[in-house]
Amino acid sequence: MFQTRRQFLSTALKSSTLVSMGVTAPTFLCRSALAALDAKGTDRVLVVVQLSGGNDGLNTVVPFGDDLYNKNRNALRIGTGQVLKVDDYVGLHPSLDGFAKLLEEGRLAILQGVGYPNPSRSHFRSMDIWHTASMAEKLPGDGWIGRAIGRSELRREGTVPAMHFGSGKLPLALAGRTTEVPSLASLEDYRLQAGSAGRDQLTAVASAERSAATLQFLQRSTLEAYSTSGRLEEMAKKYDTPVKYPTTELARKLKLIAQLIDARFGTRIFYVSLDGFDTHANQAPMHAQLLSELGGAVKAFVDDIAHHGHLDEVMVMTFSEFGRRVKENGSRGTDHGAGSQMFLAGGKVKPGLIGKHPSLTDLDDGDLKHHTDFRQVYASVLESWLGCPSRDVLGGEFEAVKIVG
Amino acid sequence: MSDNLLAPFEPTAADPWDRRRVAHLYRRAAFGATWAELDEGVKLGPQACVERLLKGTGAKGFTDQDLAAVARTAVAAGSDRNLQGWWVLRMMAGPHPLVERLTLFWHDHFATSQDKVANLALMLDQNELFRKHAFGPFWDRQSGGLLLAVSRDPAMLIWLDSNSNRRAAPNENFAREIMELFALGIGNYTEKDIREAARAFTGWFVNKNQFRFSSSEHDTGDKTVLGRTGNWDGHDVVRIIAEQPAAAEFLVGKLYRYLVSENDPPDSAVVDSLSAGLREREYDIGWLASTILRSRLFYSGAAIRQRIASPIDFTIGTARRLEGSRVSPAALADISSRLGQTLFHPPNVAGWEEGKAWINSSTSLGRSNFAQEIVASGGRFAGRTDPAALAAKYGRTTDRDVVQFFLELLVDGDVPGETRERLAASMRTPVENAGVFRSAASEKDAKARRLVQLILSLPEYNLC
């Protein structure tokens, strides 16, 4: 039925990709394939879901029990009767029924009041801060995940430590100095049309040593693509699941990830994005649709992972570059704000609310104040979930938050 | 120092005016050169060659009238794909490639996407606006230049929600992006400037696809924007922004990255000198582009191959160099899109990130696949390129000459010795029976196709 890691690797070892590379191929490929055969398949996996555009946290986990919420959200208010109550003060947006079910099952954590000091309201600067985990004037060129996968704790030779699913550019979070993270629009697209003989020739001409840094970068990306695509072709055969995923783009990507996890591909961090949260005007219908896509896809993914027996190996983490102003604007939308919540999902998360909802009276220039730095959450995910020391990755010590239950 | 770097390039024995420098000019100021254009450029010499690109290459290809008709048809049919194809056609075979280059620059700079605008006619209008103002002025006192025109452009108003910018509740989206991304850059304004500027833009609407000002929705109170207080409207704010010293530097930095190098930041003396010149000339972008393209700096190692080819550079450049004049522009637009650059659909208001962001293993595979597709004797581009015939047209027929010809045409002849040997060896290896080139007319034909595929897949070919 499902291909095991062992079956996969023995196929890959026989296939022309590895065998034919000979002296010009990076030797790590052969060594690593052998090393991977001995690996146990219990590596924990992190799936990052980026909500791009600045998700309106206040209408995601709604403080319906607060008069100030009702005052500030005249057109966009989600009433007490509509929210999916978490407790007597906050409830989930009605389109997040997928998350509400996960919460009932004890598979969802809601980290409230997450942000960083002196927040930037620029999409680009703020997203870069979340990606690099740095607030320096001149941000580093690599991202927190890119740095993490450069460390031995997350690197197993011959596996791809992190992968991005999406058609856009590689998120800065995944940029590293030595490793190029693959970025896949879909498994079907990720195929070298030249076939195996063509692959050998292309690999051979691209393999000669280059000295310029940009050429080395281009070369690494090309060679990585040639070798990974060969492996994926073997794997993309078929996948059975009784779970019915919604027909959304996010669900499609998460299903591919479930497939790779089940096939023991060895990747530790997967990254996907859901775009469209920059709701300056006519927010309500768009926001509802986005949250429905988010909740539905993550719920199906967690169910699928559970069905295949990997529930306790996988954690999903969401974030957005900022929340939005407490007060709605005049276009039935919201402008850029600060701070928001993060969601964690999986079999091992500490379920329920973590941290208090930020005050609606004590605002910072019209925005919610955070009480938890997002780098504390990264530190916790790195240390207590992925088993990777966080100090060097994050450029400092950040007090952990208890997220694993 | 900067005067020296910005002085016109004059060839010397050590720095000759050769195919390599012509190819570089055509990669940056056009969309790649054919072999004939390389030879012609060498004969013209540097200043005349730049002059030619500034005036437009005209002649062959299509006229503006032909092209306008193609655009109208695409819009009338509601075909996003055909409109993309129209623009690709302009870049490939239009009368003025440098204008298209700058139009693409402005499209990236004032990145507006059909995803939200959802109106091809307005997207076309905006594109024509960029073309009309390609050489500037970016802003001037009389007309307001490109910056004011874009601020009133219906597609832009829809894209950044100015269309719902009411007195009672200003929408900050456009006010933020004009400062952050269009004219000043982060660090040159405050959050308060954005809020005040948003008030000044209240009342700017789109109605029936036209700009309209609604005085009843305009906030007539005093606003303080960038340290200046008054009852400002949108025109005033655009002027106040354009008069900031940071504006010229911001623009120079951005065009430098586009035309010169995305690796090393520019020398500050160069930026100062160009910014001062730009201010003196009321933001004349034609002057800025021409000064850069003629300069010693532009033909030095600080510029040559210091950019990564965008998907548009990669696809259109390949079709041009291989003289695949019958390659479908819409198909090239599709491929560019798969490689991460969909015309009229930049990813967000910051435009394409460019540089290394173009490259990941998925797009690397895509580029290799395109390299095969464009020279395959079957498939969607079947018969559109003919490498063996192209080499023969320029008198290259022996294996050795053919390898040298394509290396010079495609990668400035600059690859590691080992790679050159492997390419030469490929000409001595039979083409596989089952391979994609098997239906080629002859073994020689098939080998030339395979050779070009291999060169187009080299890391070097991704440099621009």
Side-chain angles (χ1 to χ4, degrees):
Chain A
M1 208 172 89
F2 306 122
Q3 217 178 14
T4 64
R5 182 195 199 95
R6 180 172 293 274
Q7 282 165 342
F8 161 66
L9 283 162
S10 56
T11 322
L13 276 173
K14 275 183 251 148
S15 84
S16 65
T17 318
L18 290 177
V19 176
S20 63
M21 284 185 172
V23 283
T24 56
T27 46
F28 81 83
L29 278 174
C30 301
R31 267 193 288 123
S32 61
L34 290 169
L37 278 174
D38 299 327
K40 294 197 181 69
T42 54
D43 290 336
R44 285 170 163 187
V45 169
L46 175 69
V47 180
V48 179
V49 180
Q50 170 179 311
L51 309 179
S52 312
N55 178 34
D56 183 13
L58 209 55
N59 266 16
T60 303
V61 178
V62 182
F64 66 91
D66 199 316
D67 283 346
L68 281 169
Y69 168 75
N70 296 312
K71 281 202 184 102
N72 281 295
R73 294 296 174 95
N74 192 32
L76 295 176
R77 180 188 311 140
I78 295 168
T80 310
Q82 294 166 276
V83 295
L84 307 169
K85 284 186 187 169
V86 177
D87 63 14
D88 290 339
Y89 182 72
V90 295
L92 295 168
H93 186 289
S95 297
L96 278 175
D97 51 325
F99 276 8
K101 288 189 196 115
L102 286 171
L103 194 62
E104 274 169 37
E105 294 162 356
R107 293 173 181 175
L108 184 82
I110 304 167
L111 285 150
Q112 304 198 93
V114 186
Y116 60 89
N118 304 316
S120 167
R121 291 181 186 84
S122 152
H123 289 294
F124 311 100
R125 167 86 186 163
S126 193
M127 194 57 102
D128 286 353
I129 286 172
W130 278 83
H131 280 205
T132 57
S134 165
M135 266 148 244
E137 180 106 348
K138 179 149 174 37
L139 293 171
D142 54 4
W144 73 282
I145 296 172
R147 289 193 291 273
I149 59 171
R151 297 186 56 91
S152 58
E153 291 85 357
L154 291 185
R155 222 161 162 49
R156 172 161 299 132
E157 287 185 42
T159 64
V160 178
M163 276 184 139
H164 170 237
F165 278 91
S167 47
K169 72 183 173 68
L170 188 72
L172 177 58
L174 296 164
R177 295 194 186 281
T178 51
T179 314
E180 296 314 319
V181 171
S183 191
L184 278 65
S186 74
L187 290 188
E188 291 70 31
D189 285 353
Y190 200 77
R191 176 164 297 152
L192 184 65
Q193 282 155 12
S196 59
R199 185 191 311 273
D200 296 344
Q201 265 184 332
L202 288 165
T203 303
V205 292
S207 293
E209 199 176 322
R210 266 80 174 171
S211 57
T214 309
L215 280 175
Q216 287 177 350
F217 160 79
L218 289 162
Q219 180 180 32
R220 277 201 305 274
S221 176
T222 304
L223 292 176
E224 173 81 38
Y226 292 161
S227 64
T228 317
S229 65
R231 300 179 56 196
L232 283 175
E233 273 172 41
E234 295 299 321
M235 184 169 293
K237 302 282 154 69
K238 66 169 186 258
Y239 179 67
D240 280 330
T241 178
V243 174
K244 201 157 163 43
Y245 280 83
T247 55
T248 61
E249 193 55 21
L250 183 64
R252 190 185 64 79
K253 290 174 185 166
L254 290 178
K255 187 177 177 187
L256 290 174
I257 292 170
Q259 192 175 338
L260 290 172
I261 291 170
D262 189 57
R264 301 287 183 205
F265 197 64
T267 296
R268 302 291 305 278
I269 303 179
F270 293 96
Y271 201 103
V272 293
S273 297
L274 178 59
D275 293 352
F277 285 91
D278 194 19
T279 47
H280 285 277
N282 298 319
Q283 170 174 309
M286 278 185 289
H287 196 229
Q289 193 191 335
L290 288 163
L291 293 180
S292 167
E293 176 165 0
L294 174 67
V298 172
K299 173 73 168 102
F301 173 73
V302 172
D303 287 353
D304 192 12
I305 287 293
H307 171 80
H308 286 95
H310 310 301
L311 183 63
D312 292 347
E313 300 158 29
V314 179
M315 184 185 281
V316 178
M317 177 181 95
T318 75
F319 81 96
S320 190
E321 70 267 41
F322 43 60
R324 305 188 79 83
R325 291 270 157 78
V326 172
K327 187 161 178 50
E328 66 191 19
N329 65 23
S331 323
R332 295 187 300 283
T334 50
D335 290 326
H336 303 180
S340 194
Q341 71 282 118
M342 295 174 76
F343 292 100
L344 299 173
K348 287 283 193 186
V349 301
K350 178 169 170 280
L353 296 167
I354 301 178
K356 281 172 44 179
H357 193 282
S359 161
L360 294 183
T361 31
D362 182 19
L363 300 181
D364 175 11
D365 199 10
D367 286 336
L368 298 174
K369 285 185 180 169
H370 75 282
H371 51 66
T372 301
D373 192 300
F374 72 91
R375 291 167 298 180
Q376 293 176 256
V377 181
Y378 285 0
S380 316
V381 167
L382 285 166
E383 306 246 355
S384 64
W385 183 248
L386 294 172
C388 173
S390 65
R391 196 194 155 83
D392 292 345
V393 173
L394 302 178
E397 295 281 2
F398 292 91
E399 191 191 341
V401 183
K402 188 158 168 48
I403 53 164
V404 178
Chain B
M1 169 77 175
S2 66
D3 285 348
N4 203 7
L5 286 173
L6 293 173
F9 172 77
E10 279 171 26
T12 62
D15 290 317
W17 180 249
D18 53 7
R19 285 200 189 100
R20 181 168 150 265
R21 287 197 163 85
V22 178
H24 166 63
L25 174 63
Y26 267 83
R27 285 195 296 265
R28 300 294 172 79
F31 296 88
T34 62
W35 188 261
E37 284 166 337
L38 292 179
D39 279 346
E40 187 193 19
V42 170
K43 276 194 211 107
L44 283 172
Q47 301 310 325
C49 197
V50 171
E51 201 58 39
R52 186 163 185 275
L53 284 163
L54 285 166
K55 286 208 177 109
T57 49
K60 291 181 290 186
F62 298 85
T63 65
D64 277 322
Q65 288 80 358
D66 299 335
L67 289 161
V70 176
R72 278 196 305 273
T73 313
V75 170
S79 171
D80 197 338
R81 181 173 186 263
N82 286 353
L83 194 65
Q84 292 173 32
W86 160 77
W87 195 3
V88 168
L89 182 64
R90 286 203 80 110
M91 297 181 199
M92 268 172 76
H96 207 319
L98 179 52
V99 164
E100 298 308 320
R101 258 286 162 217
L102 291 169
T103 302
L104 183 58
F105 172 76
W106 296 123
H107 176 48
D108 188 18
H109 183 81
F110 291 109
T112 304
S113 172
Q114 162 73 358
D115 282 350
K116 178 165 168 183
V117 175
N119 185 328
L120 286 177
L122 294 185
M123 292 304 292
L124 174 61
D125 287 349
Q126 189 191 62
N127 192 263
E128 294 289 12
L129 184 75
F130 294 150
R131 191 165 289 106
K132 178 178 155 202
H133 290 272
F135 286 121
F138 181 67
W139 182 81
D140 72 4
R141 197 165 284 279
Q142 293 77 40
S143 72
L146 176 59
L147 189 60
L148 181 64
V150 170
S151 303
R152 297 164 52 103
D153 172 58
M156 177 60 81
L157 288 165
I158 294 170
W159 170 239
L160 291 183
D161 303 310
S162 310
N163 209 20
S164 52
N165 200 8
R166 297 173 187 284
R167 173 159 60 180
N171 190 305
E172 293 169 11
N173 213 0
F174 180 75
R176 174 181 304 280
E177 305 311 0
I178 189 175
M179 293 197 209
E180 178 179 338
L181 297 171
F182 301 158
L184 299 177
I186 278 187
N188 295 308
Y189 58 88
T190 65
E191 287 292 322
K192 182 149 181 301
D193 289 326
I194 290 174
R195 282 176 219 173
E196 297 281 292
R199 291 175 52 215
F201 285 111
T202 49
W204 286 26
F205 293 104
V206 179
N207 189 23
K208 297 192 177 120
N209 291 344
Q210 302 279 329
F211 174 83
R212 198 179 126 251
F213 176 66
S214 162
S215 56
S216 62
E217 284 297 346
H218 179 65
D219 180 339
T220 53
D222 275 357
K223 302 110 189 160
T224 302
V225 180
L226 298 160
R228 293 166 65 179
T229 305
N231 171 18
W232 308 129
D233 66 9
H235 299 83
D236 297 318
V237 169
V238 170
R239 172 175 48 81
I240 291 168
I241 289 172
E243 284 173 357
Q244 296 287 306
E249 283 155 36
F250 182 71
L251 204 55
V252 165
K254 194 129 183 216
L255 199 68
Y256 183 96
R257 193 176 145 84
Y258 190 67
L259 290 180
V260 182
S261 169
E262 60 198 6
N263 290 335
D264 297 320
D267 185 296
S268 64
V270 167
V271 175
D272 289 348
S273 168
L274 290 173
S275 306
L278 196 59
R279 277 190 289 264
E280 281 163 24
R281 290 168 184 80
E282 291 210 296
Y283 288 101
D284 179 350
I285 301 300
W287 170 81
L288 180 60
S290 141
T291 304
I292 290 174
L293 295 175
R294 293 174 193 278
S295 69
R296 294 179 53 181
L297 171 69
F298 183 74
Y299 298 99
S300 73
I304 296 176
R305 299 171 108 196
Q306 297 300 308
R307 283 179 52 84
I308 290 177
S310 70
I312 283 291
D313 293 326
F314 193 86
T315 51
I316 297 180
T318 303
R320 291 203 89 250
R321 292 176 189 109
L322 298 179
E323 300 186 24
S325 55
R326 286 163 57 239
V327 170
S328 151
L332 292 181
D334 287 346
I335 290 166
S336 175
S337 178
R338 277 219 313 270
L339 298 178
Q341 190 174 26
T342 312
L343 295 175
F344 301 105
H345 296 259
N348 56 50
V349 60
W352 290 283
E353 191 177 321
E354 307 213 294
K356 285 185 176 181
W358 291 126
I359 304 296
N360 56 55
S361 52
S362 184
T363 59
S364 290
L365 269 186
R367 287 181 180 217
S368 285
N369 287 337
F370 170 66
Q372 174 179 307
E373 211 177 354
I374 190 82
V375 292
S377 39
R380 84 168 119 175
F381 295 122
R384 297 294 192 264
T385 65
D386 188 341
L390 183 69
K393 174 177 163 189
Y394 295 107
R396 272 68 171 185
T397 50
T398 67
D399 285 356
R400 192 191 145 89
D401 286 352
V402 168
V403 171
Q404 179 60 22
F405 172 76
F406 283 113
L407 282 173
E408 270 194 72
L409 176 67
L410 300 171
V411 290
D412 295 353
D414 188 6
V415 293
E418 182 192 329
T419 299
R420 186 181 283 269
E421 280 161 31
R422 281 186 186 277
L423 292 169
S426 81
M427 297 300 276
R428 298 189 293 271
T429 314
V431 171
E432 261 191 74
N433 251 343
V436 289
F437 304 121
R438 70 166 189 279
S439 60
S442 66
E443 182 73 7
K444 196 180 181 76
D445 177 2
K447 282 178 178 169
R449 290 179 188 277
R450 182 178 60 186
L451 171 74
V452 172
Q453 177 210 7
L454 292 171
I455 297 174
L456 296 177
S457 302
L458 290 174
E460 285 76 5
Y461 190 66
N462 293 287
L463 296 179
C464 180

